[in-house]
Amino acid sequence: MTVETNELNFEDQLIHYLVNIGGTKQWECLSEIQTTDQLWANFKHILEINNPDKLTRPLSKTEFTQVEGRLQI
């Protein structure tokens, strides 16, 4: 097997594992998300949808930049 094939196999197994943690669907692989910026935008959208009791309006760019900073390693 080539390195590329091994990496693709690993990625497929990881996605399958994440999607099925605990026997219930936890994650969804969205093929239209191709960039880091798209991934962050999707995360922001999910964060806002799942926290209507905490957020009276969408997060501002400055507020979300603070969230990103706390989550990046």
Side-chain angles (χ1 to χ4, degrees):
M1 277 189 162
T2 65
V3 172
E4 292 83 11
T5 304
N6 285 337
E7 185 174 348
L8 182 58
N9 187 30
F10 171 76
E11 288 173 1
D12 288 342
Q13 288 178 13
L14 179 61
I15 290 168
H16 179 76
Y17 173 78
L18 291 173
V19 166
N20 296 294
I21 291 174
T24 59
K25 189 167 186 172
Q26 301 284 324
W27 298 90
E28 182 178 359
C29 183
L30 301 175
S31 60
E32 65 269 14
I33 297 177
Q34 298 289 316
T35 68
T36 303
D37 288 339
Q38 291 172 327
L39 185 63
W40 279 115
N42 187 58
F43 177 72
K44 180 181 183 286
H45 175 72
I46 292 168
L47 189 64
E48 291 168 344
I49 287 174
N50 289 328
N51 292 284
D53 56 326
K54 304 269 191 269
L55 301 171
T56 58
R57 58 180 171 66
L59 292 169
S60 70
K61 184 170 178 78
T62 302
E63 290 168 333
F64 192 69
T65 298
Q66 292 174 354
V67 172
E68 286 178 303
R70 294 190 65 110
L71 295 175
Q72 291 183 1
I73 298 173

